[in-house]
Amino acid sequence: MTISTSPKTISIKQFFDRDSCTYTYLLIDTESHQGAIIDGVKEQLKRDLQYIEELGIELLYAIETHVHADHISSAGLIRQKTGAKIVYSQAAGIKSIDIELNDGDELTLGRYHIKAISTPGHTSGCMSYLVNNMVFTGDTLLIRGCGRTDFQQGRSEDLYHSVTEKLFTLPDETIVYPGHDYNGNTSSTIVEEKQWNARLGKQKSLVDFINIMDNLNLTLPKKINEAVPANEACGINVNPNTYVHEDFSMTSLYQIWQQKNPEYLIIDNRTQEEYLAGHIPHSQNIPLGTEPDHLVALKRFEHIYIYCHSGRRSQTALTNLAMMGLENITCVSHSGFAQWQALGYPIE
Ligand SMILES: [Fe+2]
């Protein structure tokens, strides 16, 4: 389903995974074509990537509302394929992500801001996201219901405060997009939920709410033992020992370059056109996404250094190589060839 309020505005696509009843959202600034995905499902990766490609989206973020227990996230694979940054709340405590948000932090998406609202309770690391008049609530607030609070450091009291003191204080007309729905509903509004939410509406008291939550008698999600550990690794199987993710500057790279050590390889992972227009002498062009074609050759080197134009693609390449089992990789993560040129270092 596509929701768009005017031709040049933010466009929202809502996708459904039947197996887990999960909603995934694609947010697109129609002017810049920058986009973000919220709560991608691993089994639906192909569908989501196809939309991203067909709509010409430059995907900046793979945002998670929380560590899911009922499905495996596609965030790690999305990052690998698109270079998008993985976003979680800091409280989720997930390693090897790119952006950790705290309450009130904002992400920029074209002309829009995605505002993080910390809403613990379903899990201790749940985050809702507000964009214009829409709030993506994950499993904190569902349509006429809410997420369970009996695992992953969930706490009914926290969820009650998150909903009544944070989400319910948003403007009445704010559209609520939940993380799941099991009854065929797609969205709601704050005013509707304040009135009709079966667990939290009509100014339900904390005591009544806790009483409801304590008596749900739910069985555990069937994928919990598989999904939670997988999602703590962003949905991919990365051996943390091979994942070298240092902050390394272009000046440090210049010092390495001067050593002319044949055991070291410097990779330029920009496109071939960018590489041909000028690159670091003796660097090898391995455009982002083509790393598997070079695995055998890369294994010969003692240490691999990666740069791109600004530091974004090089981080993705590092993840790709680490997932292929390579060790001793360093990427220039906050600058790139533009900086090398600015510093007046040699160019081929
Ligand atoms: Fe959940």
Side-chain angles (χ1 to χ4, degrees), residues 66-70 122 139 180:
H66 63 293
V67 180
H68 305 281
D70 57 351
H122 168 60
D139 296 2
H180 297 283

Side-chain angles (χ1 to χ4, degrees), residues 34-317:
Q34 291 183 336
I37 190 166
I38 298 179
D39 287 341
V41 175
K42 194 171 185 178
E43 284 76 13
Q44 304 293 349
L45 178 72
K46 207 173 144 205
R47 172 199 69 192
D48 299 343
L49 287 175
Q50 191 173 340
Y51 268 98
I52 289 163
E53 192 186 325
E54 286 175 359
L55 300 178
I57 298 167
E58 181 199 357
L59 198 75
L60 300 190
Y61 313 110
I63 300 171
E64 296 290 310
T65 54
H66 63 293
V67 180
H68 305 281
D70 57 351
H71 69 269
I72 297 176
S73 156
S74 63
L77 294 168
I78 290 263
R79 173 169 68 183
Q80 196 186 342
K81 302 279 183 193
T82 67
K85 292 193 183 305
I86 300 179
V87 181
Y88 264 99
S89 80
Q90 190 184 37
I94 304 297
K95 294 195 177 63
S96 74
I97 64 166
D98 305 291
I99 300 175
E100 289 181 337
L101 295 177
N102 288 300
D103 187 46
D105 287 350
E106 293 189 342
L107 299 168
T108 302
L109 183 76
R111 296 157 297 160
Y112 300 94
H113 296 287
I114 301 170
K115 185 178 177 184
I117 305 173
S118 170
T119 49
H122 168 60
T123 72
S124 55
C126 284
M127 194 68 100
S128 297
Y129 298 93
L130 181 69
V131 189
N132 287 5
N133 64 334
M134 299 170 283
V135 64
F136 300 87
T137 53
D139 296 2
T140 302
L141 179 62
L142 303 178
I143 299 170
R144 309 297 191 259
C146 66
R148 62 198 289 174
T149 53
D150 55 342
F151 53 66
Q152 292 177 283
Q153 293 85 48
R155 211 167 155 252
S156 301
E157 193 175 339
D158 292 343
L159 192 137
Y160 181 85
H161 292 303
S162 291
V163 172
T164 58
E165 291 165 22
K166 289 188 161 172
L167 299 178
F168 279 1
T169 59
L170 293 171
D172 276 352
E173 63 278 14
T174 308
I175 302 165
V176 174
Y177 286 116
H180 297 283
D181 193 85
Y182 306 94
N183 304 306
N185 305 304
T186 53
S187 68
S188 183
T189 59
I190 291 296
V191 70
E192 268 182 60
E193 295 310 313
K194 281 203 286 202
Q195 177 68 10
W196 299 112
N197 191 291
R199 295 183 187 169
L200 292 139
K202 293 196 168 77
Q203 300 183 327
K204 185 98 57 205
S205 73
L206 174 61
V207 174
D208 288 347
F209 177 68
I210 290 175
N211 194 30
I212 292 171
M213 297 308 283
D214 283 350
N215 290 290
L216 293 177
N217 301 317
L218 300 168
T219 53
L220 283 180
K222 58 180 190 286
K223 284 190 180 172
I224 187 167
N225 292 325
E226 176 195 1
V228 172
N231 288 330
E232 284 171 347
C234 298
I236 49 179
N237 303 316
V238 174
N239 176 351
N241 298 325
T242 68
Y243 195 86
V244 186
H245 202 148
E246 294 172 17
D247 187 11
F248 194 74
S249 69
M250 273 323 237
T251 309
S252 314
L253 187 64
Y254 178 62
Q255 286 156 6
I256 292 293
W257 178 82
Q258 284 180 310
Q259 293 176 25
K260 307 240 181 312
N261 185 335
E263 303 296 320
Y264 295 169
L265 174 68
I266 298 177
I267 293 177
D268 180 325
N269 85 329
R270 299 173 301 159
T271 63
Q272 195 184 21
E273 295 78 60
E274 289 173 283
Y275 178 80
L276 291 175
H279 54 265
I280 297 178
H282 315 300
S283 63
Q284 187 183 337
N285 186 213
I286 299 182
L288 182 62
T290 66
E291 295 86 4
D293 304 341
H294 303 271
L295 180 60
V296 176
L298 293 178
K299 278 185 174 166
R300 293 204 309 267
F301 293 95
E302 193 181 295
H303 203 115
I304 293 168
Y305 297 87
I306 313 167
Y307 74 92
C308 58
H309 180 74
S310 64
R312 187 159 150 236
R313 283 172 286 181
S314 64
Q315 289 184 56
T316 308

